Amino acid sequence: MADPALVEALVACGHDLGLITGAADAARYATDATRRPDVVPEVVIRPKDKAGVSAALALCHRFGQPVAVQGGLTGLSGGARVRPGEVVLSTERLTGLGAPDADAMLIRAGAGVTLQRLQEAAAEQGLCFGVDLGARGTATVGGGIATNAGGIRVLRYGMFRAQVAGMEAVLADGTVVSSMRGLEKNNAGPDLRQLFTGSEGIYGVITEALLRLHPAPGLERNALCAVEGPEAALALLRMLRGRLGGLLSAFEGLWPEVYDGACGIAGTRPLPLGSGLYVLIEIQAPKGLIEEDAFEQVLMDAYEAGLCGDIVVAQSRREFDGIWHLREACPEFTFSLGRLVPHDLSLPLRAIPEFLGRAREAVEAVDPVARIYVYGHLADGNLHYVVKSEMRAEVSAAVNTLAARMGGSITAEHGVGTDKKPYLSLVRSAEELGLLRRLKSAMDPAGILNPGRVIGLDD
Amino acid sequence: MADPALVEALVACGHDLGLITGAADAARYATDATRRPDVVPEVVIRPKDKAGVSAALALCHRFGQPVAVQGGLTGLSGGARVRPGEVVLSTERLTGLGAPDADAMLIRAGAGVTLQRLQEAAAEQGLCFGVDLGARGTATVGGGIATNAGGIRVLRYGMFRAQVAGMEAVLADGTVVSSMRGLEKNNAGPDLRQLFTGSEGIYGVITEALLRLHPAPGLERNALCAVEGPEAALALLRMLRGRLGGLLSAFEGLWPEVYDGACGIAGTRPLPLGSGLYVLIEIQAPKGLIEEDAFEQVLMDAYEAGLCGDIVVAQSRREFDGIWHLREACPEFTFSLGRLVPHDLSLPLRAIPEFLGRAREAVEAVDPVARIYVYGHLADGNLHYVVKSEMRAEVSAAVNTLAARMGGSITAEHGVGTDKKPYLSLVRSAEELGLLRRLKSAMDPAGILNPGRVIGLDD
C-alpha cells in the first residue's frame, strides 16, 4: 500500500506525472507479455520528461517506495510484472524523437519511443536501425536498452548495446546522469552507458538515448533452406560466413514442429515437411557491391557441396517479406498453443546438436507427455526452447541446468526479470553475484528500483 | 615507503610473485610510453597466475598499500607511471595463451600476452584479431582491455571492448570475478566485462580474457589518396561508406607536416607534397566476394566525382605494407621531434574542419611559435593532435577545452591516466563523476588500486 503522503507529494510536486490511481485504468500496467497478471498497481507514474522522472524517483526514494519500471510491456521474463506494494513508473510518455542526423548517423530518442517509430524515422532518411524484433510496434527504446534486446539481425548489427551512442538515466535518488556526447570513441573514464544497458532497471531508469543508425541496405535477399539437422546447419553457417563475411545479416533456425505451425499461420509452405531443420538466411549489401546473382551462386555452391537440401530464394519483395512473415509467425504459433514453459537459451554453437538430444531426454524424464518446440537465432547460439507441459518448475529446472552445464546461459536476450531469477546462480558465480549486489547497493541503497528482479540487496 | 611487514607477507604468501625489490631491477617499471619517469617503485609484484594476483591484492588491501597496475607500459596518459609510495603489480608473467578455437572463433589469453603474439596465434589458424596498433609488440591484452584500446581498424572491428567475449578480474580485496562463458549473447544479469573494460585499473585487475577472432580477410587492398582538406575527406568517407559498407576497414588521415615527416622516416613519398591532407584507405573482404578491380573502380569514381586528387593503389603485398609503414611512421616522426604536448581528441566528424581552424588560433594565442602536427583515425573522429611547444599546460588546456566545447572528448582511445585527469571535468558532468566515484567506493573502498588516475575516492 503506497503511503498516502507519497501520493500527495507526487500530485503536488509540480511536474506533469500523468498519475493514474484508479484500479480500472491501472489494470493494463499489471504485467508484461508473459500475460501472468499479478497485482494491479495502486499508482502509475507516467512522467512527461526527465525532470518528472527525477522528481518522482526522489520522492519514492525518500519514502522507501518500491518501484516497478515499465517500458512497452513486451518483456518475456516478468521484469515489468508488478509485485505487491509497488508503484509503477512508466516511460510511455517519454516519446520525444529527434530528426535522424544522416551525417553523424545518430538519432535522439526518448525511452518511450517504439522501435517501429524509430525504424520508420530512420527509413525516411534512407537509413536503418540495427535492432529488429517481432514486438517492434510496442517495444520501446528504453526497454530495449534496459534489457539489451537482441532480435533477428544481431549477426549483422549486434545487440541493443551496440546501438547506444549516448544515454541519459536517472538513479534511484533522482540524480540525472547524462552521457549524451554520442562520439564513436570516447575513453574519458569508464563508460556509464554500459552499466545501465542490460541492467533491467535495477541500477537506474533510462530516459533518453542517442542511437546509432546505418545506411539502409541497397540490396536485401533472403532464402529458406532445408537442412538435415543442426550439425548440417552449423556447417552451412561456417561456409556462408567464409563466403559472405559481414554481408550475412540473418541465419535463423526453425525446427519442423515450429516450421509446420508457422506455415499454418502464414498460409504458405515454401518447402515441404520432412527435413530436420529449416533455416532462414538473409544478406544485406550496399547497392552494386556484389554481382546480382552472388547470393544464388553461394547457395547453389552450398547445395552442391551437400551442405543443404532444397532452397527457396525470394525473387521479389513480396516473397522476401513472405519468408520473414513465416519467421515472425513462430512465436505467434507457440503462444497459440496455450500456457507454455518458455526458455531463451544461449549455447556455444558446437554444443547445440548434443544439447538438443540431451534436453529432450531431460524433459521427457520429467514429463513423458511434454512436447517441445524450438526456433531461434541460430547463428547467435540463441534457441527459443518452448515446452508444452504442466510441470513448469521441473521442466525449467531441467532445461536451464543442462544449458548451464553445457557452457550456455539461461537467457540469451530476454533477460532475468523475476521468472529466471531462480536459475541465475546456475550461470553466475557467487563472486559475480556479490559484485552485482555491491553495485546495486552503491546505486540504489534503499533498494527501491525493481526489487525482486535480477538481484537485490537481500539476495 | 612500503611497510616491511607487507613485503614479508608477500614473500611468505606461498605464491610465485616474482618479486623485485632492488632499485636497479625496478627502474624499468617507473613509467609508461610517455617516458616521463617519476618514481622507481620499491617493490614490483609480478604474479605467475591469478591466485598470485588475488593473494597479493588481498595483502595490499589489508595493509592499505597503494598499487600501480602495469601491463606492457605502452600507455600514453601516465596511467602506469608510478607515484610516490606505490608498489607495482605487473601482469607481465600472465602469459598463458590457448589455441585459437576456430569453431567458436575465440581464444583464451592471459593479461600479459602481447597483441602481436595473439595476432600471430590467430593467423596460424587463418584467423585474425580485430585490434591492431603500432605498439603491438609490447602492448598486452590486459592493458588493451583495461584502456579499451582502439587503433587502426576500429572502423571494421570496433575497439577492444568489442573483442572481449569473457573476462576474469581480481578486485582490490583479492576477490576473483570470473565471467568466462564467452557466449555471443548472454543477458543473465548485468555484464561485468563492461565494467572493467576501459576502467584503467581503478575497479579491478584483469588477469585473463576470452577474445573474439574473425576470419582472416581473403582480400586486403589499400591506397593513399591526396585530398584538399578535411571537408573533402569527409565527403570521400561518406561516398566510400555508401559504396563499400562494412568492407571499409581503415580510413586514416595524415596532415601534410606529418605526411612529410613520415615519408622521411619511411624513405618513400608515394604522393607529392602540396595537398591539404593525405588519406590511407583500406578494404578487407572475403575471397571472391567482390570483383578483383572493385576497389580501383570505387576510387576511380571518387576521383572522377572530384572527391579526391591523386591516388596510389598498392599493387602488391610489398606496396600494401609500404603504405601501412608510412602510417606507422607517424608517431615515430612526432616522437622524434622531442618533448611534445600530445592530445588524443575525439570529435564529431562534422566538427573537424572548424575545429582545426579554431584550435590553431587557440594554440597560437597561447604560444605564437608552437608547431602543430596532426594525424589519426579520421573515420572515427579521432585526431592525434600533437603540439611542439614549451607551454604544455596552457596548450593542453586550450586544445582540450575547445574539443570539449565542440562536442568532442579529451581522449578518444588513450584514456585518462594521470595526465588527462585535470581535463576530465570538461567532458564528464558532476553527476557522472559522482557515480564513477560511488562505483569506485563500492569496488575498492580502501582506494588502493591506481590512486590518482581517472577518479579516486577523494576527487
Side-chain angles (χ1 to χ4, degrees):
Chain A
M1 182 93 181
D3 188 328
L6 168 62
V7 180
E8 260 176 56
L10 289 168
V11 170
C13 80
H15 294 274
D16 175 1
L17 298 185
L19 290 177
I20 293 176
T21 49
D25 292 336
R28 77 175 192 85
Y29 298 91
T31 192
D32 60 11
T34 56
R35 300 176 202 172
R36 294 165 56 190
D38 201 342
V39 177
V40 174
E42 210 179 326
V43 180
V44 180
I45 310 169
R46 304 176 306 139
K48 190 73 189 153
D49 53 29
K50 73 174 169 190
V53 174
S54 171
L57 283 179
L59 284 170
C60 291
H61 180 69
R62 196 200 309 157
F63 281 82
Q65 170 61 53
V67 178
V69 187
Q70 295 188 345
L73 296 174
T74 60
L76 290 163
S77 301
R81 192 188 304 136
V82 179
R83 299 166 75 239
E86 291 177 350
V87 303
V88 163
L89 179 79
S90 169
T91 57
E92 69 184 0
R93 296 206 305 155
L94 302 174
T95 52
L97 181 63
D101 179 341
D103 200 39
M105 304 287 268
L106 293 172
I107 188 167
R108 194 171 179 126
V113 171
T114 65
L115 193 50
Q116 187 168 336
R117 201 172 141 223
L118 180 70
Q119 290 168 343
E120 287 169 358
E124 274 173 30
Q125 301 289 322
L127 302 170
C128 77
F129 183 66
V131 171
D132 195 16
L133 38 80
R136 64 183 73 81
T138 322
T140 61
V141 163
I145 300 172
T147 61
N148 189 28
I152 55 178
R153 289 201 184 89
V154 171
L155 185 56
R156 169 75 182 79
Y157 299 101
M159 296 181 73
F160 228 106
R161 185 184 299 281
Q163 323 307 323
V164 181
M167 185 196 290
E168 191 168 78
V170 182
L171 301 185
D173 65 5
T175 304
V176 178
V177 181
S178 182
S179 302
M180 293 284 276
R181 286 194 179 245
L183 297 160
E184 197 57 42
K185 293 166 84 170
N186 189 358
N187 274 348
D191 184 347
L192 290 170
R193 295 170 298 180
Q194 309 298 335
L195 185 68
F196 297 105
T197 303
S199 76
E200 301 187 42
I202 65 168
Y203 291 157
V205 178
I206 296 156
T207 51
E208 195 175 21
L210 260 180
L211 297 166
R212 291 188 214 291
L213 299 174
H214 298 269
L219 174 80
E220 289 183 293
R221 301 295 307 273
N222 69 7
L224 195 70
C225 293
V227 298
E228 252 180 53
E231 287 280 13
L234 295 176
L236 175 61
L237 175 61
R238 273 192 297 274
M239 183 271 199
L240 293 174
R241 280 191 153 142
R243 291 282 295 274
L244 297 164
L247 302 192
L248 188 65
S249 51
F251 188 89
E252 302 277 308
L254 290 71
W255 270 259
E257 300 76 13
V258 176
Y259 173 67
D260 189 28
C263 287
I265 286 178
T268 169
R269 190 184 301 276
L271 291 171
L273 284 176
S275 290
L277 180 57
Y278 298 82
V279 179
L280 188 166
I281 299 164
E282 184 194 66
I283 65 163
Q284 292 186 341
K287 197 164 151 54
L289 180 67
I290 56 172
E291 297 287 301
E292 275 299 310
D293 67 345
F295 185 53
E296 276 92 344
Q297 195 53 59
V298 170
L299 291 174
M300 191 55 69
D301 293 349
Y303 179 83
E304 282 172 7
L307 292 170
C308 63
D310 287 348
I311 309 170
V312 175
V313 183
Q315 298 297 338
S316 66
R317 189 73 211 184
R318 218 182 102 255
E319 291 180 17
F320 177 90
D321 291 341
I323 286 179
W324 271 119
H325 182 49
L326 206 59
R327 169 63 183 83
E328 296 204 343
C330 295
E332 197 180 333
F333 166 66
T334 57
F335 270 116
S336 76
L337 297 171
R339 198 172 151 180
L340 295 159
V341 193
H343 306 87
D344 165 46
L345 307 174
S346 184
L347 289 158
L349 283 184
R350 70 154 67 88
I352 289 176
E354 186 188 338
F355 171 82
L356 289 168
R358 290 176 62 185
R360 179 169 292 278
E361 285 170 25
V363 168
E364 289 175 353
V366 165
D367 178 2
V369 301
R371 296 195 59 182
I372 296 168
Y373 302 89
V374 186
Y375 65 99
H377 316 294
L378 192 49
D380 309 327
N382 182 185
L383 301 184
H384 298 315
Y385 190 92
V386 179
V387 184
K388 187 157 175 63
S389 166
E390 293 301 312
M391 306 185 68
R392 189 183 192 90
E394 296 83 351
V395 164
S396 273
V399 170
N400 285 327
T401 302
L402 181 66
R405 279 206 190 126
M406 293 183 72
S409 175
I410 58 160
T411 174
E413 59 176 17
H414 294 169
V416 178
T418 52
D419 298 349
K420 286 168 196 149
K421 200 166 172 337
Y423 309 108
L424 191 55
S425 64
L426 291 172
V427 291
R428 305 298 295 262
S429 67
E431 291 77 16
E432 284 182 287
L433 295 174
L435 179 51
L436 293 176
R437 205 180 304 116
R438 273 205 227 185
L439 299 174
K440 173 72 175 171
S441 174
M443 299 178 71
D444 178 16
I448 64 163
L449 284 179
N450 275 359
R453 286 82 164 175
V454 194
I455 194 146
L457 298 179
D458 306 324
D459 289 319
Chain B
M1 181 93 180
D3 188 330
L6 168 63
V7 179
E8 260 177 56
L10 288 168
V11 170
C13 79
H15 293 273
D16 175 0
L17 297 184
L19 290 176
I20 293 175
T21 49
D25 291 335
R28 78 175 189 84
Y29 298 89
T31 191
D32 60 11
T34 55
R35 299 174 202 172
R36 293 165 58 189
D38 200 342
V39 178
V40 174
E42 210 180 325
V43 181
V44 181
I45 311 170
R46 303 175 307 138
K48 190 70 187 154
D49 52 29
K50 72 174 167 189
V53 175
S54 171
L57 283 181
L59 285 169
C60 292
H61 180 69
R62 196 198 311 159
F63 281 81
Q65 170 61 53
V67 178
V69 187
Q70 294 188 345
L73 296 174
T74 60
L76 292 163
S77 301
R81 191 188 304 136
V82 179
R83 298 167 76 238
E86 290 178 348
V87 303
V88 163
L89 179 79
S90 169
T91 57
E92 68 183 1
R93 296 205 304 154
L94 303 175
T95 53
L97 182 63
D101 179 340
D103 201 38
M105 305 286 269
L106 293 172
I107 189 166
R108 195 172 178 123
V113 171
T114 64
L115 193 51
Q116 187 168 335
R117 203 174 139 223
L118 178 71
Q119 290 168 343
E120 287 169 359
E124 275 174 29
Q125 301 289 321
L127 301 170
C128 77
F129 183 66
V131 172
D132 195 17
L133 38 82
R136 64 183 72 83
T138 321
T140 60
V141 163
I145 300 173
T147 60
N148 189 28
I152 56 178
R153 289 199 186 89
V154 170
L155 186 53
R156 169 74 183 80
Y157 299 102
M159 296 182 73
F160 228 108
R161 185 183 299 280
Q163 324 306 323
V164 181
M167 185 196 289
E168 192 168 77
V170 182
L171 301 185
D173 64 5
T175 304
V176 178
V177 181
S178 183
S179 302
M180 292 285 274
R181 285 190 180 248
L183 297 161
E184 197 57 42
K185 292 166 84 169
N186 189 359
N187 274 349
D191 185 347
L192 290 170
R193 295 169 298 179
Q194 309 298 336
L195 185 67
F196 297 105
T197 303
S199 77
E200 301 188 43
I202 64 168
Y203 291 157
V205 178
I206 295 156
T207 52
E208 196 176 19
L210 260 179
L211 297 167
R212 291 188 214 290
L213 300 174
H214 298 269
L219 172 82
E220 290 182 294
R221 302 295 306 276
N222 69 7
L224 195 70
C225 292
V227 296
E228 251 180 54
E231 287 279 14
L234 296 176
L236 176 61
L237 174 61
R238 273 192 297 275
M239 182 270 199
L240 293 173
R241 282 191 152 141
R243 290 282 295 272
L244 297 164
L247 303 190
L248 188 65
S249 51
F251 189 90
E252 303 277 308
L254 291 73
W255 270 257
E257 300 75 13
V258 176
Y259 173 69
D260 189 29
C263 287
I265 287 177
T268 170
R269 189 183 303 275
L271 292 171
L273 283 177
S275 291
L277 179 56
Y278 299 82
V279 179
L280 188 166
I281 299 164
E282 184 194 65
I283 64 161
Q284 292 186 341
K287 198 164 148 57
L289 181 67
I290 56 172
E291 297 286 299
E292 275 302 309
D293 67 345
F295 186 54
E296 275 93 345
Q297 194 54 59
V298 170
L299 292 175
M300 192 55 68
D301 292 348
Y303 179 82
E304 283 172 8
L307 293 169
C308 63
D310 287 348
I311 309 171
V312 175
V313 184
Q315 298 297 338
S316 66
R317 188 74 211 183
R318 219 182 102 256
E319 289 179 18
F320 177 90
D321 291 342
I323 287 178
W324 271 119
H325 182 50
L326 205 59
R327 170 62 183 83
E328 296 203 343
C330 295
E332 196 179 333
F333 165 67
T334 55
F335 270 115
S336 76
L337 297 172
R339 196 172 155 182
L340 295 160
V341 193
H343 307 87
D344 165 45
L345 307 174
S346 184
L347 289 157
L349 284 183
R350 70 155 66 91
I352 289 177
E354 185 187 339
F355 170 83
L356 289 168
R358 290 177 61 184
R360 177 169 294 277
E361 285 170 24
V363 168
E364 289 176 352
V366 166
D367 178 2
V369 300
R371 297 196 55 184
I372 295 169
Y373 303 89
V374 186
Y375 66 100
H377 315 295
L378 190 50
D380 309 326
N382 181 186
L383 300 184
H384 299 315
Y385 190 93
V386 180
V387 184
K388 189 157 175 64
S389 166
E390 292 302 309
M391 307 185 68
R392 188 183 193 87
E394 296 83 351
V395 165
S396 273
V399 171
N400 286 326
T401 301
L402 180 65
R405 279 206 191 128
M406 292 183 72
S409 175
I410 58 160
T411 173
E413 58 176 19
H414 294 171
V416 178
T418 53
D419 298 351
K420 285 167 198 152
K421 200 165 169 348
Y423 310 108
L424 191 55
S425 63
L426 291 174
V427 289
R428 305 299 294 262
S429 66
E431 291 77 16
E432 285 184 287
L433 296 174
L435 179 51
L436 293 175
R437 204 181 305 115
R438 274 205 226 184
L439 298 174
K440 172 73 174 170
S441 175
M443 301 180 70
D444 177 15
I448 64 163
L449 285 179
N450 275 359
R453 286 81 165 177
V454 193
I455 193 146
L457 298 180
D458 305 325
D459 287 319

